[in-house]
Amino acid sequence: MSLLFPAYLAGLLGLALPWLLHRFSDQRAPEQAFPSRRFLEATTPPVSRTRQLKYLILLALRVLSLLLLCLVFAQPWLNREGADAVRSKHHVIAIDQSLSMRAAGRWPAAIDRARDIVSGLPAGDSVELLGIDDGIRRTDRRTEPASVQLQALSAMEPGHVSADYGSLMQGINRIASESDVPVTLWLITDVQQSALPTQLNALYAPQLDEMHVESVVTEPQRNVHLQASALSTDGVNVQVNVQLMVSESSVEENASPVDVERRSTTVQLYAGDRLLAEQQVTLQPFELQTMVFDRLVMPAVADPVFTVALAEPDDLPDDDRVDVVVRTANPMPVVLLATERQVSDNAAVFLATALETDDLASVDVITGNAERVSAEVQHVISGRTLSGKIDLDILQFVDSGANALLFSAEPPQVTQTSGQLAVPRISGSEMGVSDDAHPLQLGRLDWSGTRFYDVPPLLLVEGDRVLLQTSDRLPVLVERLTERGRLLILNDRLDGSGSNLPLQPAFVSLMQSILNYFDASTALPDQIVAGERLALPARVQVLDPTDQPLLTLDASAHSGTIELDEPGMYKIVGARGEHALQVVLDSREANIATLSPAELAAWQNRYTEGADTGESGQGNAGNVGGKQAESGSSMSVAEAARLATWQLILPVLLLLFIMESALANRRLDVRRDGS
């Protein structure tokens, strides 16, 4: 047994204090006054008893309490090095499967290194093989012996997702905390600098016993990352914008750059197999270059696609070629639903004109209820009676994740006495307060000149949000709370008689704002990064670059998410027909710059020298091995090998203090007056 702070044993000198207190507490015999001892003979006083300590149990409790208190401050511990020498360990071999590991020579070197590590492990140690990218990918064979783990290496290969060392260390820390034996991490990676987390303190796993970083980068390498987009404003002429970024990796602190002649790169533009144009550019390391291909004519095919490629290959060829789709106008399908209470011809014309302006939507007029609407249509506009409850078919349609805009189909109001139509107000009411906090931002529209002469009755329910109202505080536009889709109620007949709203320029802006608001819940992006999750609306199907469906029939009927980790051109078939989705590689992962040897050594030193307490805050990107910012002290690997025993003393010490207090209150009778 050893002591962390042996200087506290000097407190053992205080053990004399209880003994002295017990000596002083012994009572002296009382003296009696006598007038004279002149006639008394001198005699030797007899010894009736020896001087003894009182309350030995209480004295023992006090002495033992002080002894244990000194030991607690000295912090005794047992060295487990002898036990650890024969104790088995659990080895975790983490192989980087990110995009940068697809560079020339890196993956074969990683597999060879993993085989060497597994074959060199002691017979009694366990091993677990796992892959890492933006997270940890554990295999089902982690409980199998090393020979089976070696067979699993042949099934592993690098993917196209970026790596994150912070997520790796957090996952390894969880694995180590669940293990009954010490855990050693063998990280086989290309030590990519872009894989460092934002919070560098995430690189430290306190439960880990030992870590070894095995770099597979043995020679300088170079990569040119390619990104492109194609734009067409008139549907005839196309402009292709290309961005290029050069990155280099090194193996020495002051490595010489890659040969200057290789920095001259030729960018080629293809339409199918036909070369349309090419440009040569000189690229500087870590500098973004932009070039433009214009004067291109739109190919006479559906969903035209251009291909941008590098003529000279580099060390990471996966991002040397990219397909670019030319975006064209794709109107949203909208159904104008006429029920048994027919929508007026004026309302149909006003709505179709406003929605089809700028090719925003394509309006289809059908009769019947919402059950007749095609499953591909996400937006319905219908005239309904708003003075009562909303019809069940509309509620079911919205509950499926779709959107609906209802306007009033109420007949003009009549007077109760004569049965004649009520005379509309000549001046009418102006547009009043709008809810500017709503995403529609209706306060930005120009409502000047808009008048409401005959506002139909509207039944409001709990949870309704009034977005527009007249100056007389009559609701004009209301959003009703639903579980999935969006339901808006426009309290106007849209025939031009109850109000002049359909005749105002603001009506076109209002309809387009509503449709864009609806489409926000079902809109699909044109491009995502490999590894990201894509939110999908209901009733769509995703086709991979080989036109194979990725969703089951049940999954395509409901909204959800899907992770696309392979780059390429995907198709989403849904309400708007085929929507092209481009999955591109992460530009950060394509940056193959590596950590310097000093940074790598500083990271590994966290598990050989321990982690000290530092100032809280952000880490320094230039010093990976900086102090760990925590509020308390950090346990190093050497401390983890100690078996602390002072924690076991604390409950015993507490029990002794309680017993001493109870016994002292009952037995201690020190005379305070000195008599």
Side-chain angles (χ1 to χ4, degrees), residues 4-61:
L4 288 180
F5 307 104
Y8 281 101
L9 293 182
L12 295 177
L13 298 176
L15 294 178
L17 182 61
W19 180 81
L20 292 175
L21 291 177
H22 278 253
R23 293 285 296 179
F24 293 156
S25 67
D26 194 14
Q27 298 181 9
R28 299 175 60 184
E31 295 183 1
Q32 299 291 335
F34 194 79
S36 176
R37 56 180 181 177
R38 179 178 180 181
F39 300 104
L40 297 179
E41 294 181 359
T43 59
T44 302
V47 179
S48 60
R49 62 182 177 86
T50 60
R51 195 173 183 85
Q52 294 181 347
L53 294 176
K54 291 185 177 182
Y55 315 129
L56 296 180
I57 297 178
L58 182 60
L59 175 62
L61 288 175

Side-chain angles (χ1 to χ4, degrees), residues 526-657:
D526 296 332
Q527 178 179 293
I528 63 172
V529 176
E532 291 183 355
R533 297 200 69 86
L534 174 67
L536 296 174
R539 297 186 291 274
V540 298
Q541 180 57 266
V542 181
L543 304 178
D544 65 8
T546 61
D547 290 336
Q548 296 298 318
L550 301 180
L551 299 178
T552 63
L553 184 61
D554 181 67
S556 62
H558 303 85
S559 60
T561 61
I562 184 174
E563 181 178 350
L564 303 176
D565 52 9
E566 294 287 338
M569 195 67 65
Y570 291 74
K571 296 178 182 178
I572 302 179
V573 183
R576 303 189 190 181
E578 290 187 359
H579 177 83
L581 173 65
Q582 186 180 15
V583 179
V584 298
L585 299 174
D586 193 345
S587 58
R588 297 173 301 174
E589 179 64 22
N591 182 357
I592 62 173
T594 56
L595 296 173
S596 66
E599 292 173 329
L600 183 59
W603 184 12
Q604 294 186 96
N605 287 342
R606 287 174 174 242
Y607 301 92
T608 56
E609 300 175 355
D612 301 325
T613 302
E615 297 179 357
S616 63
Q618 302 291 338
N620 186 355
N623 181 15
V624 180
K627 306 298 183 181
Q628 184 185 14
E630 294 183 352
S631 58
S633 61
S634 303
M635 184 180 67
S636 65
V637 176
E639 291 173 341
R642 301 166 180 159
L643 177 61
T645 59
W646 60 270
Q647 295 98 329
L648 305 177
I649 300 176
L650 287 177
V652 178
L653 183 60
L654 178 61
L655 180 60
L656 291 180
F657 279 142

Side-chain angles (χ1 to χ4, degrees), residues 651-671:
V652 178
L653 183 60
L654 178 61
L655 180 60
L656 291 180
F657 279 142
I658 296 176
M659 295 174 59
E660 189 274 342
S661 299
L663 190 59
N665 290 334
R666 295 183 55 188
R667 303 292 301 274
L668 188 59
D669 54 352
V670 178
R671 298 292 296 270

Side-chain angles (χ1 to χ4, degrees), residues 269-565:
L269 179 67
Y270 291 88
D273 297 331
R274 185 166 58 95
L275 178 63
L276 299 181
E278 63 179 7
Q279 293 185 27
Q280 192 173 30
V281 60
T282 301
L283 301 174
Q284 299 296 326
F286 308 105
E287 180 181 357
L288 183 65
Q289 293 281 347
T290 303
M291 62 175 56
V292 178
F293 292 95
D294 52 8
R295 301 178 183 177
L296 302 174
V297 179
M298 180 82 73
V301 295
D303 297 330
V305 176
F306 290 99
T307 300
V308 182
L310 300 178
E312 297 85 10
D314 53 24
D315 292 311
L316 183 61
D318 292 78
D319 60 347
D320 293 349
R321 182 185 181 94
V322 60
D323 294 332
V324 185
V325 63
V326 181
R327 301 299 174 184
T328 57
N330 191 12
M332 290 179 280
V334 178
V335 165
L336 179 57
L337 188 61
T339 60
E340 66 280 355
R341 194 179 294 273
Q342 295 294 326
V343 176
S344 66
D345 294 337
N346 289 342
V349 172
F350 292 144
L351 286 169
T353 302
L355 294 173
E356 293 179 349
T357 301
D358 298 331
D359 295 327
L360 180 63
S362 175
V363 180
D364 185 18
V365 181
I366 65 174
T367 59
N369 54 28
E371 296 177 355
R372 297 194 56 189
V373 178
S374 172
E376 298 179 353
V377 176
Q378 299 290 308
H379 316 303
V380 162
I381 299 177
S382 180
R384 298 295 172 115
T385 301
L386 304 179
S387 58
K389 295 182 178 180
I390 301 299
D391 296 332
L392 182 60
D393 64 311
I394 289 293
L395 296 178
Q396 292 177 342
F397 178 77
V398 174
D399 188 58
S400 66
N403 311 296
L405 171 65
L406 304 182
F407 64 93
S408 178
E410 297 277 0
Q413 299 183 26
V414 298
T415 60
Q416 297 181 356
T417 57
S418 61
Q420 301 295 325
L421 293 177
V423 179
R425 290 174 292 177
I426 298 177
S427 60
S429 301
E430 298 179 351
M431 185 67 74
V433 180
S434 62
D435 188 350
D436 294 336
H438 194 270
L440 283 173
Q441 297 182 336
L442 301 176
R444 297 185 177 183
L445 303 183
D446 184 9
W447 299 106
S448 60
T450 304
R451 297 292 185 271
F452 295 89
Y453 309 108
D454 181 16
V455 179
L458 174 62
L459 177 64
L460 296 177
V461 299
E462 183 179 359
D464 283 354
R465 181 176 181 179
V466 179
L467 306 181
L468 285 175
Q469 58 183 340
T470 67
S471 56
D472 297 335
R473 305 186 66 84
L474 296 176
V476 175
L477 183 63
V478 176
E479 182 174 29
R480 183 153 296 177
L481 183 64
T482 58
E483 294 184 358
R484 298 188 61 185
R486 292 170 174 170
L487 175 61
L488 292 180
I489 302 173
L490 182 59
N491 193 24
D492 191 89
R493 288 188 290 270
L494 300 181
D495 55 2
S497 60
S499 73
N500 65 352
L501 175 63
L503 307 175
Q504 298 297 315
F507 181 67
V508 177
S509 301
L510 175 63
M511 289 296 103
Q512 292 188 347
S513 297
I514 291 176
L515 205 56
N516 288 330
Y517 175 58
F518 281 167
D519 195 52
S521 62
T522 56
L524 297 170
D526 296 332
Q527 178 179 293
I528 63 172
V529 176
E532 291 183 355
R533 297 200 69 86
L534 174 67
L536 296 174
R539 297 186 291 274
V540 298
Q541 180 57 266
V542 181
L543 304 178
D544 65 8
T546 61
D547 290 336
Q548 296 298 318
L550 301 180
L551 299 178
T552 63
L553 184 61
D554 181 67
S556 62
H558 303 85
S559 60
T561 61
I562 184 174
E563 181 178 350
L564 303 176
D565 52 9

